[in-house]
Amino acid sequence: MADGKPEGNGLSSGQSQLPIPAFDPPKKPKRNKYALACAFLASMTSILLGYDIGVMSGAIIYIEKDLKITQVQKEVVMGILNVYSLLGSAAAGRTSDWIGRRYTIILAGVIFFAGALLMGFATNYAFLMVGRFVAGIGVGYALMIAPVYTAEVSPASTRGFLTSFPEVFINFGILLGYVSNFAFSKLPTHLGWRFMLGIGAVPPVFIALGVLAMPESPRWLVMQGRLGDARRVLDKTSDSLEESKLRLSEIKSAAGIPEHCTDDVVSVSKQHHGEGVWRDLLVRPTPAVRHILMCAVGIHFFQQASGIDSVVLYSPTIFEKAGIHNDTDKLLVTMAVGFTKTIFILVATFLLDKIGRRPLLLSSVAGMILSLTGLAVGLFIIQGSDHKVVWAIALCITAVLSYVAFFSIGMGPITWVYSSEIFPLKLRAQGCSMGVAMNRVTSGVITMTFISLYEAISLGGAFFLYAGIAVVAWVFFYTLLPETQGRTLEEMEMLFGTFFKWRSTARELKEKKGESNEQVEMANSTTTGTGN
């Protein structure tokens, strides 16, 4: 009491000034507006895929009438873009390591712009397929790079929210495609579908201009040895300067740059420009990398194998089989599908960082299973009846809407979020490109065989098959995918490697973190006691 202050108050004051971040975390910071703007601009490239999916579902009605194509040609033109996009996504990983994430996004827009113009001016089926090829390359680039850039620029506190943006814009693009179908449906048949496809050249122009205002990914800058530039970007995209320093330290460690190195520019080995990555991914992967690759490729496979592109691309066909025969009515109901997907994906973006990846994903797939089963039952009843069954038609429409809603609230965004955040820094670009490649191949196979499939086993049988695949997906996700919510990108590798035993690994990490917290608390207590 010699200092004139009560002992208890002195202790309390000392304690209040000591930071105990692990034991007594600060309040959640507000969303970083700069990181939000960067993620928003980068993710806009995903509009390209969404628009093509949405617009082709309606344009094919008029292409079929104008060009007199066969059912097989119809299947091919609908689904071939997904196969072509495989080439773009495979090249995008190396390209983004070479020229940077930002310029790869611009390149994606330029390629799709050319493809959209070619499709709009197509005079025959072969010309149209050339346009599909060019547009597909652009879509492949966009699909791979948008989630990678967004994950690398996002702070851990909002990474789930921000890396769900690509899926948001895919859905927004689908909705724009549906609206375009309806808007140009009254034009003469030979003009309508060309306007629907050609107008897709407009979004890439604005996207490319917007991306020029974005910074480069801090992780790519570190891989190039540009520490000063990376530091400035991290200062802007982190929730605090302390977090910025921590992120930079973790990235330097992952890139093999010494912690004590503070120069603005340092030399890096050639390995950090992309060489040796395929060896580490496929030839000699560690158990952790093998587990990560299995999860990333698996989640992309099941996203498409459960039938989402068949439902979105062939919505008019499904509704026609369900008893809706007027072209305008089919397009209106299809627009309802687009609105439903868009609304629910917006809901999902706000839940990813609150609820976590696994609960949303498992709930989403369970809802998809029920919806697909309901749709299959409704279609069987309609096809087996010789008169109009109103309640079965209502069941089919409801099932389609609930299916896309459940997909958008979990399976849709989490596929991109999860695969973009689990790979180690050095392997991230090429690892994500492998996931996207699987996504596009599966989508291409599903969409190019859908008509043949339902002609062989009936439309109801096709959706029963998709429901069965979704059941397998649920089991795969439950047993193999760890929760990644709240972890930094550099911590991910510690979660993986034990495959079906990942839960015990997660418990061990939690226990170690608890021990670390106790040590911090004891150190702070000791400091407080010394101060008194």
Side-chain angles (χ1 to χ4, degrees):
M1 297 271 280
D3 57 2
K5 292 180 182 178
E7 233 177 287
N9 290 346
L11 179 60
S12 175
S13 174
Q15 286 177 329
S16 65
Q17 293 174 7
L18 288 168
I20 315 179
F23 182 68
D24 188 18
K27 292 182 179 179
K28 188 177 180 180
K30 294 181 180 179
R31 297 195 192 279
N32 185 297
K33 292 181 180 178
Y34 189 79
L36 177 67
C38 293
F40 186 90
L41 287 171
S43 301
M44 283 179 66
T45 56
S46 300
I47 285 178
L48 307 182
L49 172 64
Y51 183 82
D52 187 87
I53 291 173
V55 80
M56 279 304 295
S57 69
I60 195 63
I61 297 172
Y62 306 100
I63 293 172
E64 194 174 7
K65 293 176 182 177
D66 186 32
L67 301 183
K68 305 295 189 294
I69 60 176
T70 65
Q71 287 291 82
V72 173
Q73 287 177 316
K74 177 181 175 181
E75 277 184 322
V76 171
V77 78
M78 292 281 276
I80 197 67
L81 181 133
N82 297 308
V83 177
Y84 292 150
S85 67
L86 168 66
L87 301 176
S89 64
R94 187 61 180 271
T95 303
S96 67
D97 280 345
W98 177 40
I99 66 173
R101 314 315 197 207
R102 189 173 65 140
Y103 287 113
T104 303
I105 294 173
I106 295 173
L107 180 61
V110 170
I111 297 172
F112 189 85
F113 173 83
L117 287 182
L118 287 171
M119 289 190 291
F121 286 105
T123 54
N124 53 47
Y125 184 78
F127 196 158
L128 179 61
M129 289 297 288
V130 172
R132 300 293 283 164
F133 173 77
V134 176
I137 299 296
V139 164
Y141 267 90
L143 273 179
M144 178 266 158
I145 196 59
V148 169
Y149 176 89
T150 306
E152 292 185 345
V153 83
S154 304
S157 63
T158 55
R159 192 176 59 247
F161 173 71
L162 297 181
T163 49
S164 65
F165 277 18
E167 182 69 15
V168 172
F169 281 103
I170 288 175
N171 283 273
F172 185 63
I174 290 172
L175 180 57
L176 285 179
Y178 289 158
V179 171
S180 176
N181 287 337
F182 188 75
F184 295 114
S185 62
K186 301 302 181 184
L187 292 176
T189 301
H190 70 285
L191 288 178
W193 68 266
R194 289 182 170 88
F195 270 96
M196 292 174 190
L197 297 178
I199 204 73
V202 174
V205 176
F206 293 99
I207 291 168
L209 291 174
V211 169
L212 289 174
M214 288 165 33
E216 184 50 84
S217 155
R219 287 176 172 82
W220 184 82
L221 290 171
V222 171
M223 288 165 65
Q224 309 308 305
R226 295 163 56 183
L227 300 186
D229 291 338
R231 188 181 301 111
R232 283 185 283 275
V233 175
L234 286 170
D235 286 346
K236 291 181 178 180
T237 59
S238 299
D239 293 328
S240 65
L241 289 177
E242 289 75 16
E243 184 191 1
S244 172
K245 293 175 182 176
L246 178 61
R247 289 173 70 187
L248 180 60
S249 174
E250 291 173 338
I251 297 169
K252 284 163 63 178
S253 175
I257 298 174
E259 173 65 27
H260 58 78
C261 184
T262 57
D263 296 339
D264 282 351
V265 180
V266 299
S267 60
V268 292
S269 65
K270 287 185 178 180
Q271 191 177 13
H272 294 130
H273 292 281
E275 290 80 358
V277 170
W278 293 116
R279 181 195 63 218
D280 293 343
L281 268 175
L282 300 175
V283 181
R284 289 185 298 177
T286 64
V289 170
R290 193 178 295 116
H291 187 185
I292 287 170
L293 192 61
M294 184 185 298
C295 291
V297 172
I299 196 170
H300 275 286
F301 169 77
F302 284 116
Q303 186 200 51
Q304 294 301 324
S306 53
I308 184 61
D309 278 0
S310 291
V311 171
V312 174
L313 267 174
Y314 292 96
S315 288
T317 302
I318 295 169
F319 291 130
E320 182 177 2
K321 296 291 184 181
I324 302 172
H325 300 293
N326 181 274
D327 284 350
T328 302
D329 290 342
K330 283 187 285 187
L331 292 178
L332 282 172
V333 180
T334 300
M335 282 177 63
V337 173
F339 277 112
T340 303
K341 276 180 65 63
T342 303
I343 289 169
F344 279 90
I345 188 64
L346 291 173
V347 173
T349 60
F350 292 97
L351 296 179
L352 276 166
D353 287 315
K354 294 179 180 178
I355 296 178
R357 284 47 159 169
R358 276 177 58 83
L360 270 182
L361 182 61
L362 295 173
S363 302
S364 166
V365 178
M368 288 164 58
I369 293 167
L370 294 176
S371 300
L372 287 167
T373 304
L375 177 58
V377 170
L379 288 168
F380 268 123
I381 291 171
I382 291 169
Q383 290 169 355
S385 176
D386 56 359
H387 62 279
K388 193 171 185 177
V389 185
V390 177
W391 69 267
I393 296 173
L395 173 62
C396 289
I397 295 172
T398 303
V400 170
L401 294 177
S402 65
Y403 171 75
V404 297
F406 278 115
F407 177 89
S408 293
I409 210 165
M411 178 74 109
I414 289 173
T415 295
W416 303 102
V417 172
Y418 201 87
S419 62
S420 67
E421 68 184 1
I422 60 178
F423 282 101
L425 172 63
K426 189 181 72 172
L427 310 180
R428 186 166 300 135
Q430 276 89 335
C432 287
S433 73
M434 287 187 65
V436 174
M438 174 58 74
N439 189 290
R440 295 298 87 203
V441 167
T442 309
S443 177
V445 171
I446 293 292
T447 52
M448 287 196 295
T449 59
F450 181 68
I451 294 175
S452 301
L453 178 66
Y454 77 67
E455 286 180 347
I457 63 173
S458 80
L459 198 56
F463 288 110
F464 269 131
L465 176 62
Y466 292 149
I469 293 172
V471 170
V472 177
W474 193 94
V475 174
F476 178 86
F477 299 150
Y478 182 80
T479 55
L480 272 174
L481 271 65
E483 178 60 72
T484 58
Q485 179 191 19
R487 296 189 181 273
T488 67
L489 295 181
E490 281 64 42
E491 286 178 332
M492 292 297 174
E493 205 168 353
M494 294 186 290
L495 272 176
F496 293 84
T498 51
F499 298 92
F500 298 102
K501 300 178 181 179
W502 64 265
R503 289 174 178 79
S504 60
T505 304
R507 280 195 297 270
E508 289 174 8
L509 288 173
K510 188 175 180 181
E511 289 171 3
K512 288 180 181 178
K513 189 173 182 179
E515 291 173 3
S516 176
N517 290 347
E518 288 178 7
Q519 290 174 359
V520 170
E521 185 183 356
M522 289 175 62
N524 287 328
S525 299
T526 303
T527 305
T528 304
T530 304
N532 286 334

